[in-house]
Amino acid sequence: MKFLRNYIDKIKPSFEEGGKFEAFHSTFDAIETFFFVPDEVTKLRGAQIRDSIDMKRSMILVIVALIPSLLFGMWNVGHWHFLAFGEDATFWQEFGFGFLKVLPLIIVSYVVGLGIEIIFAQIRKHEVNEGYFVSGFLIPLIVPVDTPLWMLAIAIAFAVILGKEVFGGTGMNILNPALTVRAFLFFAYPGWMSGDSVWISGMVKNADNVVDGFSGATPLAEAAAGNISNLPSTFNMFLGIIPGSVGETSVLAILFGAIILIWTGIGSWKIMASMIAGGLFMGLILNLFAVNAFMELPAWEHFLLGGFAFGAVFMATDPVTAAQTDIGKWIYGFLTGVLAILIRVLNPAYPEGVMLAILFMNVFAPLIDHYVVEANIKSRLKRIKIKA
Amino acid sequence: MTVKIKKGLDIRMKGKAVFNLISVPETELFALKPTDFPGLIPKLAVKPDDKVKLGSTLFYDKYRPEVKFTSPVSGTVVAVNRGERRRILEVVVKSDNQNITVDLKIGDLSSLSGENVINILLSSGLWPTIRQRPFNIIANPEDKPRSIFISGFDSAPLAPDMNFVLQGLNEVFQKGVDVLSKLTEGKIHIGVKANTLDDSVFNSLSNVEITEFAGPHPAGNVGIQINHTDPVNKGEVVWVVNPQDVVMIGRLFETGVLDVERIIAFVGSEVINPIYYKTKLGMSVKEMVETNASGSNLRYISGNALTGTAINREGYIGYYDQQLTVIPEGNYFEPFGWMMPRLNKFSISMSYFSWMMPKKEFIFDTNLNGGKRNFVMTGQYEKVFPMNIYPVELLKAIIVEDFDLMENLGIYEVAEEDMALCEFVCTSKTEVQAILRKGFEYMLKELG
């Protein structure tokens, strides 16, 4: 490490203002702070000591929480591919296939997204914010595995520039960046984002070779079509051995992530809990007025379908785009859950409602907070009146 | 009545002082620092080489000349140290060890009016010990405070134990309270640490309203205590005094002579024998540091590690400070620090392992432990800020200079120290106290 430190110290001046590589200052800084926590000390006035937590630690923990979903998703991609084409494969062949399919998505996600982040950081003379480390990891997990890489790149450029940087970067954005990517793909390239064949690797391009009778439809699509009897077993849905976006299928893996996020306090348990409560509430109401098979689906089973669990744990809890006050979080989560199930079940055009529900509530989160804060202001004014 | 404070954090730092009080080895230099008083524009009343008595004016407030800052010892002015743009940083006096005092001619307290008391406090130089809320600045002698609050304990990291510091001072403390009660029509509130009242100097007091407070820091902050007993509303002013300053005021009226004794705790991981020292206001820390701290590359903090001011080895104790904290500087690069288990570092968050060591006292250094970012994480400040105020929203209102919003969100109720823990826990390394002070300055300017 000493050698690395010496080397960094040696080349540092040429990346400072006026140096030869001034234009790469942000890149250099991001790399340096990756290897070394800076030697910056507290100011002479104010808090002289600081907690050990920082943005890098927080974000790496979210990534750790996502790893079970990623690993399971890689295996699941291979598993369904070989199943669809009727080939026998060992566990490692399945995992290896999925690994090679998902890895390019991750690479494109980071190269494009981080590239843009670094350029903006350089222009703004800021440090590169770690927020994109998480977004960049989330994006491959919420798209169909065969999404063409150029499409992904365009969607990411759109989401990072127009969804985040124009507002001022991480911390200032209104919409969840990863979901903005997905929403862009969803509306710009619907053929690659929905239907029965996009979820199985190789099935879009090579539909003829698929085993007879294999549909590739997600359980959610089956349920939406009213084919409740076609749903896999509850256990398989919980484990995640079903077609779907890379990371969304395994509720078990997501639960591991949820435990990490809740324990470390980085993901808000209030939002997760209230979103599940909201989903349950809406599910029960739909049960009450059920006129078709989908509406009759037991409310709790919705959590095993589609992206509900993944959305509740990793998407709705994004601290920047969620409500920020405690009371606001309860309201925000609950309404997100209600809307997700409402859109999912009653909307004929979209098969899934979680993404749109979260994005919609992202937009309303500041409004919710506004009213929560207003109530605080009113209580303060009331105190004066009581005295007077 | 006992108030339970639920939110907050007791930071377990190494180097707590043992209950042993000694005098500081021979110290000659003393200084008053105008920078200890936010917003003050000082006018000098002396120049180097002037002879001064204990109680002679060194400088005064440009806009309120009656507010004087007086010499803590008799001797010679040896230096007026200035900083950028010739701002006065320190007025240094070398003691002649004679303690020749200015004659203040104080009569019997019972015959004095409130106005008399104010004038005596002003001319003695003890007036600046009285601060006001809102904005945590020196009280305006023309104000009529709604009430006066004294916090009887300090809950900050490694803070001195006030029951130890004040032991045996019952009578003079009562005298101080009697003096203060001439200044307000309202009550004198004293906040006492729960379950310690029986053994404390406050038990025998009359003429005061005692409230007990239980819970973690900042339960001992007077601002938190005010907020939980009788919060400051728009247009109201309350005054606050540190308990040791009540003693100083009491002594002045008891003996008629200014006596600026101040007991401080000398604490921190780099102190050889953490202990209590009997000092005087503005005393040089040089002797204490030279005889009782080890190592180089240290940070000397006048005050506690959350709200204090860094001074150098030959600096002076701040006007309101009751402790001197010495910790290592953190100016080093830590390889992969953010990925490491960091078993020896403290964090309130569960993302490190300090929760597994609930008794361990940690060595803190001054490293920022990360880079500055925009606000990203939410709900962190609320866990350590026991007021019904939305801290992040208040800070954002200050950043955008929205006067009405600051007022509505409760800026009148907070002081920097009340939000110091927010600064400590912040993932984005936001300078909460500096932002808050900017907000106070903005409000003061707008209010005129």
Side-chain angles (χ1 to χ4, degrees):
Chain A
M1 287 322 286
K2 194 142 197 167
F3 166 76
L4 185 65
R5 184 69 244 163
N6 290 340
Y7 180 70
I8 288 177
D9 285 337
K10 201 178 103 190
I11 61 171
K12 201 171 183 172
S14 43
F15 290 94
E16 312 268 286
E17 224 173 294
K20 233 190 306 182
F21 303 112
E22 191 186 342
F24 296 97
H25 174 77
S26 283
T27 320
F28 178 80
D29 184 75
I31 293 168
E32 186 194 352
T33 57
F34 177 87
F35 285 114
F36 293 96
V37 174
D39 62 345
E40 190 176 352
V41 295
T42 50
K43 290 269 172 67
L44 301 184
R45 265 177 197 277
Q48 315 271 327
I49 55 174
R50 296 295 190 112
D51 195 284
S52 306
I53 189 87
D54 72 341
M55 200 59 74
K56 281 193 175 62
R57 180 76 172 194
S58 308
M59 294 297 134
I60 195 81
L61 283 168
V62 184
I63 289 178
V64 169
L66 280 166
I67 284 176
S69 294
L70 174 78
L71 294 180
F72 180 87
M74 285 175 167
W75 172 78
N76 199 38
V77 164
H79 177 72
W80 285 95
H81 169 79
F82 289 118
L83 212 60
F85 292 93
E87 294 166 37
D88 281 333
T90 64
F91 171 83
W92 286 108
Q93 278 173 321
E94 290 172 335
F95 181 81
F97 178 87
F99 177 79
L100 291 177
K101 280 285 164 189
V102 176
L103 191 64
L105 296 176
I106 298 178
I107 293 171
V108 167
S109 168
Y110 275 125
V111 168
V112 176
L114 276 183
I116 296 169
E117 287 267 337
I118 286 173
I119 293 169
F120 273 90
Q122 180 72 33
I123 295 170
R124 293 210 175 94
K125 299 195 190 303
H126 279 183
E127 291 182 36
V128 178
N129 195 300
E130 291 79 5
Y132 192 80
F133 282 109
V134 170
S135 306
F137 207 87
L138 284 169
I139 291 163
L141 296 182
I142 58 170
V143 294
V145 66
D146 270 357
T147 310
L149 297 177
W150 63 268
M151 267 182 210
L152 193 66
I154 292 177
I156 289 170
F158 171 85
V160 174
I161 296 173
L162 289 176
K164 189 155 100 171
E165 292 304 337
V166 293
F167 292 102
T170 305
M172 308 287 189
N173 48 310
I174 292 167
L175 298 177
N176 183 315
L179 281 182
T180 313
V181 170
R182 198 177 194 284
F184 181 88
L185 289 171
F186 188 79
F187 290 110
Y189 307 105
W192 284 93
M193 289 300 288
S194 47
D196 287 346
S197 51
V198 300
W199 310 106
I200 311 293
S201 181
M203 201 162 154
V204 175
K205 283 187 179 154
N206 215 353
D208 299 342
N209 295 341
V210 170
V211 177
D212 281 347
F214 184 88
S215 89
T218 63
L220 182 61
E222 296 278 17
N227 308 326
I228 302 294
S229 57
N230 281 1
L231 285 189
S233 70
T234 307
F235 188 64
N236 274 4
M237 290 200 287
F238 177 73
L239 285 184
I241 312 177
I242 51 174
S245 296
V246 177
E248 72 173 7
T249 60
S250 175
V251 177
L252 181 67
I254 293 164
L255 270 180
F256 275 120
I259 289 168
I260 293 174
L261 290 187
I262 291 173
W263 174 253
T264 56
I266 287 164
S268 165
W269 65 271
K270 290 174 187 134
I271 293 176
M272 297 183 205
S274 58
M275 184 163 161
I276 287 169
L280 210 55
F281 173 76
M282 195 64 224
L284 289 172
I285 289 188
L286 289 171
N287 287 167
L288 222 54
F289 299 97
V291 290
N292 62 30
F294 200 11
M295 286 172 79
E296 277 167 9
L297 189 74
W300 60 270
E301 251 181 78
H302 278 290
F303 305 141
L304 305 177
L305 296 176
F308 194 95
F310 196 83
V313 172
F314 293 110
M315 292 294 173
T317 52
D318 171 10
V320 175
T321 55
Q324 312 204 339
T325 55
D326 271 355
I327 303 167
K329 281 175 187 164
W330 288 108
I331 301 171
Y332 161 89
F334 189 82
L335 291 180
T336 310
V338 167
L339 273 178
I341 300 302
L342 185 74
I343 300 174
R344 175 187 279 185
V345 177
L346 295 186
N347 188 309
Y350 314 130
E352 173 60 308
V354 173
M355 171 185 84
L356 292 169
I358 295 173
L359 285 174
F360 190 74
M361 290 312 296
N362 282 170
V363 174
F364 277 93
L367 187 70
I368 296 172
D369 282 334
H370 174 79
Y371 282 110
V372 172
V373 173
E374 277 300 303
N376 177 270
I377 291 172
K378 287 218 180 84
S379 72
R380 187 165 293 107
L381 291 175
K382 212 158 134 197
R383 204 170 68 199
I384 306 181
K385 282 194 195 119
I386 289 169
K387 284 200 83 142
Chain B
M1 189 176 75
T2 304
V3 175
K4 277 209 175 87
I5 306 285
K6 293 199 185 92
K7 296 164 164 189
L9 171 68
D10 283 324
I11 300 174
R12 298 185 305 276
M13 288 178 76
K14 195 170 168 245
K16 198 173 172 54
V18 295
F19 291 139
N20 189 3
L21 178 64
I22 60 171
S23 295
V24 178
E26 234 23 51
T27 299
E28 285 187 322
L29 294 178
F30 295 80
L32 283 198
K33 301 183 276 190
T35 48
D36 286 342
F37 313 95
L40 173 76
I41 312 266
K43 284 297 249 185
L44 280 178
V46 291
K47 54 186 186 304
D49 298 330
D50 278 2
K51 292 260 182 255
V52 289
K53 292 179 183 171
L54 167 55
S56 302
T57 305
L58 296 179
F59 54 89
Y60 55 90
D61 185 342
K62 181 179 173 187
Y63 299 111
R64 264 190 248 142
E66 67 274 19
V67 177
K68 296 175 179 122
F69 301 81
T70 58
S71 176
V73 287
S74 65
T76 319
V77 177
V78 288
V80 176
N81 297 327
R82 291 173 186 269
E84 276 171 44
R85 290 190 285 165
R86 300 197 31 84
R87 185 163 161 238
I88 303 166
L89 299 180
E90 293 165 344
V91 179
V92 186
V93 179
K94 189 174 177 184
S95 165
D96 58 8
N97 288 324
Q98 309 278 319
N99 284 333
I100 304 160
T101 52
V102 172
D103 190 7
L104 287 162
K105 297 195 187 69
I106 301 168
D108 184 34
L109 180 60
S110 54
S111 64
L112 294 174
S113 68
E115 204 176 326
N116 295 145
V117 168
I118 289 174
N119 285 332
I120 293 167
L121 287 173
L122 282 168
S123 55
S124 68
L126 289 188
W127 183 261
T129 60
I130 304 174
R131 283 180 287 180
Q132 68 161 61
R133 297 294 158 87
F135 309 135
N136 200 25
I137 51 174
I138 297 170
N140 181 350
E142 282 159 24
D143 278 344
K144 293 269 172 282
R146 189 193 69 197
S147 44
I148 295 177
F149 282 81
I150 301 162
S151 170
F153 67 109
D154 192 340
S155 53
L158 301 178
D161 183 317
M162 282 301 149
N163 287 339
F164 174 72
V165 168
L166 299 174
Q167 63 184 348
L169 297 172
N170 305 40
E171 279 172 29
V172 71
F173 197 93
Q174 179 69 55
K175 189 85 178 182
V177 167
D178 295 341
V179 173
L180 292 175
S181 63
K182 297 242 170 193
L183 304 179
T184 176
E185 315 243 291
K187 288 177 182 159
I188 310 274
H189 291 268
I190 298 194
V192 180
K193 188 174 184 172
N195 306 324
T196 67
L197 182 61
D198 291 346
D199 306 325
S200 77
V201 57
F202 311 113
N203 200 15
S204 59
L205 289 180
S206 56
N207 221 350
V208 293
E209 176 92 0
I210 286 186
T211 312
E212 293 189 65
F213 290 88
H217 183 61
N221 281 10
V222 69
I224 303 295
Q225 298 176 359
I226 298 170
N227 185 265
H228 283 263
T229 40
D230 196 2
V232 182
N233 294 310
K234 182 185 175 183
E236 292 178 339
V237 173
V238 304
W239 288 354
V240 303
V241 191
N242 283 341
Q244 287 212 66
D245 296 343
V246 177
V247 169
M248 245 173 3
I249 292 170
R251 278 210 186 99
L252 176 69
F253 284 81
E254 185 88 32
T255 62
V257 183
L258 186 60
D259 179 355
V260 290
E261 183 184 292
R262 164 80 52 90
I263 292 171
I264 66 152
F266 187 44
V267 292
S269 58
E270 308 311 299
V271 175
I272 300 164
N273 293 311
I275 205 170
Y276 289 83
Y277 279 116
K278 199 179 269 188
T279 74
K280 284 178 179 166
L281 214 56
M283 190 183 260
S284 162
V285 304
K286 191 177 164 198
E287 277 71 21
M288 285 181 265
V289 166
E290 274 178 2
T291 54
N292 201 4
S294 64
S296 56
N297 197 22
L298 303 180
R299 168 123 2 151
Y300 307 94
I301 305 162
S302 174
N304 67 64
L306 287 176
T307 61
T309 309
I311 56 177
N312 62 34
R313 272 177 79 85
E314 290 167 3
Y316 305 88
I317 297 275
Y319 193 84
Y320 299 107
D321 295 330
Q322 329 228 15
Q323 69 186 96
L324 175 62
T325 313
V326 187
I327 55 172
E329 277 288 1
N331 52 348
Y332 56 87
F333 290 95
E334 188 185 3
F336 295 113
W338 55 280
M339 269 192 247
M340 292 293 177
R342 276 184 168 171
L343 292 173
N344 56 351
K345 290 227 178 187
F346 176 83
S347 176
I348 187 180
S349 82
M350 300 297 208
S351 56
Y352 290 92
F353 298 99
S354 48
W355 58 270
M356 291 171 80
M357 301 168 262
K359 291 262 158 69
K360 181 180 162 111
E361 291 178 337
F362 289 85
I363 295 176
F364 283 84
D365 61 45
T366 62
N367 193 290
L368 211 49
N369 294 324
K372 293 197 179 92
R373 299 291 181 268
N374 295 334
F375 287 113
V376 171
M377 303 312 269
T378 59
Q380 284 189 310
Y381 292 7
E382 286 83 349
K383 281 188 193 139
V384 293
F385 181 58
M387 287 194 193
N388 184 21
I389 285 175
Y390 285 100
V392 178
E393 282 68 17
L394 176 60
L395 292 176
K396 286 182 176 172
I398 293 171
I399 291 167
V400 300
E401 299 195 338
D402 185 330
F403 180 92
D404 291 334
L405 203 53
M406 284 185 233
E407 186 175 284
N408 286 335
L409 288 173
I411 197 169
Y412 297 130
E413 298 169 53
V414 292
E416 292 105 309
E417 58 176 17
D418 301 331
M419 286 180 77
L421 276 172
C422 301
E423 186 166 324
F424 173 77
V425 301
C426 186
T427 302
S428 296
K429 311 294 174 191
T430 308
E431 279 164 19
V432 173
Q433 298 180 78
I435 296 174
L436 208 51
R437 175 48 62 191
K438 259 190 205 138
F440 294 162
E441 281 164 13
Y442 180 80
M443 292 296 284
L444 284 165
K445 208 171 82 190
E446 293 291 306
L447 291 168

PDB file of all heavy atoms in Angstrom, chain A residues 99-117:
ATOM      1  N   PHE A  99     -23.968 -15.820 -15.945  1.00  0.00           N
ATOM      2  CA  PHE A  99     -22.884 -14.885 -15.613  1.00  0.00           C
ATOM      3  C   PHE A  99     -22.435 -14.142 -16.865  1.00  0.00           C
ATOM      4  O   PHE A  99     -22.315 -12.914 -16.872  1.00  0.00           O
ATOM      5  CB  PHE A  99     -21.729 -15.683 -15.005  1.00  0.00           C
ATOM      6  CG  PHE A  99     -20.517 -14.861 -14.692  1.00  0.00           C
ATOM      7  CD1 PHE A  99     -20.472 -14.087 -13.544  1.00  0.00           C
ATOM      8  CD2 PHE A  99     -19.425 -14.842 -15.551  1.00  0.00           C
ATOM      9  CE1 PHE A  99     -19.353 -13.318 -13.251  1.00  0.00           C
ATOM     10  CE2 PHE A  99     -18.307 -14.078 -15.271  1.00  0.00           C
ATOM     11  CZ  PHE A  99     -18.274 -13.311 -14.122  1.00  0.00           C
ATOM     12  N   LEU A 100     -22.227 -14.895 -17.949  1.00  0.00           N
ATOM     13  CA  LEU A 100     -21.753 -14.265 -19.185  1.00  0.00           C
ATOM     14  C   LEU A 100     -22.823 -13.382 -19.824  1.00  0.00           C
ATOM     15  O   LEU A 100     -22.506 -12.460 -20.571  1.00  0.00           O
ATOM     16  CB  LEU A 100     -21.307 -15.341 -20.179  1.00  0.00           C
ATOM     17  CG  LEU A 100     -20.030 -16.078 -19.761  1.00  0.00           C
ATOM     18  CD1 LEU A 100     -19.692 -17.169 -20.762  1.00  0.00           C
ATOM     19  CD2 LEU A 100     -18.862 -15.099 -19.623  1.00  0.00           C
ATOM     20  N   LYS A 101     -24.071 -13.654 -19.543  1.00  0.00           N
ATOM     21  CA  LYS A 101     -25.148 -12.818 -20.085  1.00  0.00           C
ATOM     22  C   LYS A 101     -25.297 -11.519 -19.287  1.00  0.00           C
ATOM     23  O   LYS A 101     -25.603 -10.468 -19.833  1.00  0.00           O
ATOM     24  CB  LYS A 101     -26.475 -13.590 -20.039  1.00  0.00           C
ATOM     25  CG  LYS A 101     -26.656 -14.572 -21.168  1.00  0.00           C
ATOM     26  CD  LYS A 101     -26.981 -13.815 -22.423  1.00  0.00           C
ATOM     27  CE  LYS A 101     -26.777 -14.717 -23.619  1.00  0.00           C
ATOM     28  NZ  LYS A 101     -26.865 -13.984 -24.884  1.00  0.00           N
ATOM     29  N   VAL A 102     -25.149 -11.633 -17.973  1.00  0.00           N
ATOM     30  CA  VAL A 102     -25.424 -10.475 -17.107  1.00  0.00           C
ATOM     31  C   VAL A 102     -24.207  -9.542 -17.037  1.00  0.00           C
ATOM     32  O   VAL A 102     -24.367  -8.320 -16.974  1.00  0.00           O
ATOM     33  CB  VAL A 102     -25.843 -10.943 -15.696  1.00  0.00           C
ATOM     34  CG1 VAL A 102     -26.040  -9.757 -14.767  1.00  0.00           C
ATOM     35  CG2 VAL A 102     -27.118 -11.760 -15.772  1.00  0.00           C
ATOM     36  N   LEU A 103     -23.016 -10.132 -17.101  1.00  0.00           N
ATOM     37  CA  LEU A 103     -21.807  -9.316 -16.962  1.00  0.00           C
ATOM     38  C   LEU A 103     -21.757  -8.137 -17.944  1.00  0.00           C
ATOM     39  O   LEU A 103     -21.464  -7.007 -17.528  1.00  0.00           O
ATOM     40  CB  LEU A 103     -20.559 -10.196 -17.097  1.00  0.00           C
ATOM     41  CG  LEU A 103     -19.249  -9.496 -16.703  1.00  0.00           C
ATOM     42  CD1 LEU A 103     -19.263  -9.135 -15.221  1.00  0.00           C
ATOM     43  CD2 LEU A 103     -18.042 -10.392 -17.006  1.00  0.00           C
ATOM     44  N   PRO A 104     -22.044  -8.353 -19.247  1.00  0.00           N
ATOM     45  CA  PRO A 104     -22.006  -7.206 -20.160  1.00  0.00           C
ATOM     46  C   PRO A 104     -22.977  -6.096 -19.759  1.00  0.00           C
ATOM     47  O   PRO A 104     -22.674  -4.908 -19.919  1.00  0.00           O
ATOM     48  CB  PRO A 104     -22.409  -7.808 -21.504  1.00  0.00           C
ATOM     49  CG  PRO A 104     -22.148  -9.260 -21.389  1.00  0.00           C
ATOM     50  CD  PRO A 104     -22.337  -9.610 -19.944  1.00  0.00           C
ATOM     51  N   LEU A 105     -24.140  -6.484 -19.224  1.00  0.00           N
ATOM     52  CA  LEU A 105     -25.104  -5.467 -18.773  1.00  0.00           C
ATOM     53  C   LEU A 105     -24.482  -4.617 -17.666  1.00  0.00           C
ATOM     54  O   LEU A 105     -24.610  -3.383 -17.650  1.00  0.00           O
ATOM     55  CB  LEU A 105     -26.372  -6.126 -18.244  1.00  0.00           C
ATOM     56  CG  LEU A 105     -27.221  -6.941 -19.214  1.00  0.00           C
ATOM     57  CD1 LEU A 105     -28.384  -7.589 -18.479  1.00  0.00           C
ATOM     58  CD2 LEU A 105     -27.763  -6.053 -20.333  1.00  0.00           C
ATOM     59  N   ILE A 106     -23.806  -5.289 -16.746  1.00  0.00           N
ATOM     60  CA  ILE A 106     -23.194  -4.562 -15.626  1.00  0.00           C
ATOM     61  C   ILE A 106     -22.106  -3.629 -16.153  1.00  0.00           C
ATOM     62  O   ILE A 106     -22.021  -2.456 -15.760  1.00  0.00           O
ATOM     63  CB  ILE A 106     -22.595  -5.550 -14.599  1.00  0.00           C
ATOM     64  CG1 ILE A 106     -23.705  -6.424 -14.022  1.00  0.00           C
ATOM     65  CG2 ILE A 106     -21.865  -4.807 -13.493  1.00  0.00           C
ATOM     66  CD1 ILE A 106     -23.220  -7.474 -13.039  1.00  0.00           C
ATOM     67  N   ILE A 107     -21.287  -4.168 -17.072  1.00  0.00           N
ATOM     68  CA  ILE A 107     -20.178  -3.353 -17.584  1.00  0.00           C
ATOM     69  C   ILE A 107     -20.710  -2.120 -18.307  1.00  0.00           C
ATOM     70  O   ILE A 107     -20.272  -0.989 -18.050  1.00  0.00           O
ATOM     71  CB  ILE A 107     -19.273  -4.194 -18.503  1.00  0.00           C
ATOM     72  CG1 ILE A 107     -18.558  -5.267 -17.666  1.00  0.00           C
ATOM     73  CG2 ILE A 107     -18.261  -3.320 -19.230  1.00  0.00           C
ATOM     74  CD1 ILE A 107     -17.797  -6.289 -18.482  1.00  0.00           C
ATOM     75  N   VAL A 108     -21.681  -2.329 -19.194  1.00  0.00           N
ATOM     76  CA  VAL A 108     -22.243  -1.186 -19.921  1.00  0.00           C
ATOM     77  C   VAL A 108     -22.849  -0.181 -18.944  1.00  0.00           C
ATOM     78  O   VAL A 108     -22.663   1.032 -19.060  1.00  0.00           O
ATOM     79  CB  VAL A 108     -23.307  -1.663 -20.941  1.00  0.00           C
ATOM     80  CG1 VAL A 108     -24.114  -0.484 -21.468  1.00  0.00           C
ATOM     81  CG2 VAL A 108     -22.636  -2.405 -22.083  1.00  0.00           C
ATOM     82  N   SER A 109     -23.551  -0.703 -17.971  1.00  0.00           N
ATOM     83  CA  SER A 109     -24.195   0.173 -16.999  1.00  0.00           C
ATOM     84  C   SER A 109     -23.167   1.066 -16.307  1.00  0.00           C
ATOM     85  O   SER A 109     -23.350   2.288 -16.206  1.00  0.00           O
ATOM     86  CB  SER A 109     -24.937  -0.687 -15.980  1.00  0.00           C
ATOM     87  OG  SER A 109     -25.335   0.083 -14.890  1.00  0.00           O
ATOM     88  N   TYR A 110     -22.069   0.469 -15.849  1.00  0.00           N
ATOM     89  CA  TYR A 110     -21.080   1.262 -15.135  1.00  0.00           C
ATOM     90  C   TYR A 110     -20.285   2.183 -16.058  1.00  0.00           C
ATOM     91  O   TYR A 110     -20.030   3.345 -15.726  1.00  0.00           O
ATOM     92  CB  TYR A 110     -20.131   0.356 -14.344  1.00  0.00           C
ATOM     93  CG  TYR A 110     -20.687  -0.012 -12.991  1.00  0.00           C
ATOM     94  CD1 TYR A 110     -20.823  -1.328 -12.607  1.00  0.00           C
ATOM     95  CD2 TYR A 110     -21.091   0.975 -12.107  1.00  0.00           C
ATOM     96  CE1 TYR A 110     -21.352  -1.669 -11.367  1.00  0.00           C
ATOM     97  CE2 TYR A 110     -21.620   0.649 -10.882  1.00  0.00           C
ATOM     98  CZ  TYR A 110     -21.752  -0.674 -10.515  1.00  0.00           C
ATOM     99  OH  TYR A 110     -22.272  -0.989  -9.293  1.00  0.00           O
ATOM    100  N   VAL A 111     -19.912   1.670 -17.218  1.00  0.00           N
ATOM    101  CA  VAL A 111     -19.083   2.494 -18.105  1.00  0.00           C
ATOM    102  C   VAL A 111     -19.851   3.746 -18.536  1.00  0.00           C
ATOM    103  O   VAL A 111     -19.356   4.876 -18.432  1.00  0.00           O
ATOM    104  CB  VAL A 111     -18.614   1.677 -19.330  1.00  0.00           C
ATOM    105  CG1 VAL A 111     -18.012   2.595 -20.383  1.00  0.00           C
ATOM    106  CG2 VAL A 111     -17.617   0.623 -18.900  1.00  0.00           C
ATOM    107  N   VAL A 112     -21.081   3.549 -19.000  1.00  0.00           N
ATOM    108  CA  VAL A 112     -21.860   4.696 -19.479  1.00  0.00           C
ATOM    109  C   VAL A 112     -22.230   5.627 -18.326  1.00  0.00           C
ATOM    110  O   VAL A 112     -22.002   6.838 -18.366  1.00  0.00           O
ATOM    111  CB  VAL A 112     -23.137   4.223 -20.205  1.00  0.00           C
ATOM    112  CG1 VAL A 112     -23.994   5.408 -20.607  1.00  0.00           C
ATOM    113  CG2 VAL A 112     -22.759   3.386 -21.414  1.00  0.00           C
ATOM    114  N   GLY A 113     -22.804   5.033 -17.265  1.00  0.00           N
ATOM    115  CA  GLY A 113     -23.298   5.855 -16.159  1.00  0.00           C
ATOM    116  C   GLY A 113     -22.181   6.591 -15.437  1.00  0.00           C
ATOM    117  O   GLY A 113     -22.240   7.810 -15.236  1.00  0.00           O
ATOM    118  N   LEU A 114     -21.140   5.850 -15.072  1.00  0.00           N
ATOM    119  CA  LEU A 114     -20.048   6.487 -14.342  1.00  0.00           C
ATOM    120  C   LEU A 114     -19.324   7.504 -15.217  1.00  0.00           C
ATOM    121  O   LEU A 114     -18.896   8.554 -14.744  1.00  0.00           O
ATOM    122  CB  LEU A 114     -19.049   5.440 -13.839  1.00  0.00           C
ATOM    123  CG  LEU A 114     -19.394   4.759 -12.524  1.00  0.00           C
ATOM    124  CD1 LEU A 114     -18.270   3.817 -12.132  1.00  0.00           C
ATOM    125  CD2 LEU A 114     -19.619   5.787 -11.428  1.00  0.00           C
ATOM    126  N   GLY A 115     -19.202   7.171 -16.521  1.00  0.00           N
ATOM    127  CA  GLY A 115     -18.572   8.115 -17.447  1.00  0.00           C
ATOM    128  C   GLY A 115     -19.271   9.464 -17.397  1.00  0.00           C
ATOM    129  O   GLY A 115     -18.631  10.515 -17.260  1.00  0.00           O
ATOM    130  N   ILE A 116     -20.591   9.423 -17.471  1.00  0.00           N
ATOM    131  CA  ILE A 116     -21.354  10.683 -17.444  1.00  0.00           C
ATOM    132  C   ILE A 116     -21.213  11.371 -16.084  1.00  0.00           C
ATOM    133  O   ILE A 116     -21.012  12.578 -15.991  1.00  0.00           O
ATOM    134  CB  ILE A 116     -22.830  10.408 -17.775  1.00  0.00           C
ATOM    135  CG1 ILE A 116     -22.944   9.881 -19.198  1.00  0.00           C
ATOM    136  CG2 ILE A 116     -23.667  11.676 -17.604  1.00  0.00           C
ATOM    137  CD1 ILE A 116     -24.309   9.341 -19.548  1.00  0.00           C
ATOM    138  N   GLU A 117     -21.301  10.572 -15.030  1.00  0.00           N
ATOM    139  CA  GLU A 117     -21.157  11.143 -13.679  1.00  0.00           C
ATOM    140  C   GLU A 117     -19.815  11.869 -13.527  1.00  0.00           C
ATOM    141  O   GLU A 117     -19.742  12.957 -12.964  1.00  0.00           O
ATOM    142  CB  GLU A 117     -21.208  10.020 -12.638  1.00  0.00           C
ATOM    143  CG  GLU A 117     -22.578   9.434 -12.431  1.00  0.00           C
ATOM    144  CD  GLU A 117     -23.320  10.103 -11.292  1.00  0.00           C
ATOM    145  OE1 GLU A 117     -22.661  10.680 -10.419  1.00  0.00           O
ATOM    146  OE2 GLU A 117     -24.557  10.056 -11.291  1.00  0.00           O
TER     147      GLU A 117
END
